[in-house]
Amino acid sequence: MLEHGHKWPARMFRRIVALVLRDELDDVAKTAMHRPEFFGRWFFDYGHEVLRGQSFWTAGEREYLAMATSRLNECTFCARVHTETTRLESRGEVAVDDPSVLRPELAATLVLLEKLTTDPDGVTTADVDAVRAAGVPDVAIVDALHVNLIFNLVNRLANAFGWSWDSEAHTRKGAKVIHFVRYKLPGFVLR
């Protein structure tokens, strides 16, 4: 259905993207364009706001949270692209494979998100208080929870539907597209 079930504006957009990038559009965008009124429109609006809107966290740190959640969920599709997107967005402020260089607020928040992802029933007020004690304001905790929510949802879709990248080059292109479009698709493909 994701290969042939789109309305004509989305089909044209996919062809244009394939010509420009010399690669297919990723499966997240294909899914969003399949039934935009059901999933795509609200998802991309929400994703843009959470991952590129105003926040205590930089775009690189939010990508790191996305990458960490995806790794916890063993979602190779999302982990691969968001590792690359973290590298692009962070400009060296976080290292994708060295958590020892994270600022203390981000490190404390990661502990909470790991527990939320792997043992949601075990999360208590004490877990949130530990993040607050590290100097993370409540609004930043909420922002991190939104990132975690998005990726717990998308990771499950990716794993259930078997989304994949054709190659490492395709993954890097996907990360560059995310960086460039900032989680936005043209409105005409989401009608």
Side-chain angles (χ1 to χ4, degrees):
M1 200 53 155
L2 293 184
E3 297 305 320
H4 306 290
H6 296 98
K7 297 175 185 170
W8 75 265
R11 287 194 310 269
M12 292 300 112
F13 180 70
R14 284 186 60 203
R15 287 185 187 134
I16 291 167
V17 167
L19 286 172
V20 171
L21 294 180
R22 296 187 179 148
D23 244 320
E24 271 293 312
L25 203 55
D26 71 71
D27 291 329
V28 176
K30 288 183 202 175
T31 301
M33 293 185 315
H34 173 61
R35 288 183 53 201
E37 68 285 352
F38 176 72
F39 174 74
R41 209 173 301 128
W42 74 263
F43 177 74
F44 269 84
D45 287 347
Y46 180 54
H48 173 74
E49 180 64 30
V50 168
L51 292 154
R52 293 300 181 269
Q54 291 286 329
S55 179
F56 173 85
W57 309 108
T58 67
E61 289 171 326
R62 284 176 275 173
E63 288 295 333
Y64 191 94
L65 295 169
M67 176 196 73
T69 299
S70 298
R71 287 179 177 180
L72 289 168
N73 285 320
E74 298 177 8
C75 178
T76 56
F77 175 82
C78 293
R80 286 172 66 190
V81 74
H82 290 285
T83 296
E84 292 302 317
T85 310
T86 299
R87 286 186 178 112
L88 288 171
E89 294 295 337
S90 72
R91 297 175 183 91
E93 69 193 5
V94 295
V96 296
D97 293 315
D98 185 4
S100 71
V101 299
L102 300 176
R103 66 176 166 140
E105 297 91 346
L106 184 59
T109 302
L110 283 166
V111 173
L112 173 64
L113 296 189
E114 180 175 357
K115 191 166 184 181
L116 264 171
T117 300
T118 61
D119 181 24
D121 292 336
V123 175
T124 67
T125 305
D127 297 306
V128 176
D129 288 343
V131 179
R132 288 178 178 138
V136 182
D138 285 352
V139 68
I141 295 170
V142 170
D143 287 351
L145 293 174
H146 282 284
V147 174
N148 188 251
L149 170 66
I150 286 173
F151 284 90
N152 273 302
L153 171 70
V154 173
N155 295 163
R156 281 160 178 76
L157 289 172
N159 288 341
F161 292 125
W163 293 348
S164 64
W165 297 98
D166 296 332
S167 63
E168 284 303 312
H170 191 207
T171 304
R172 285 191 297 278
K173 282 182 191 176
K176 287 178 184 174
V177 168
I178 291 168
H179 172 71
F180 179 72
V181 303
R182 301 172 50 85
Y183 294 95
K184 293 289 246 178
L185 282 177
F188 72 90
V189 301
L190 295 176
R191 290 193 186 132

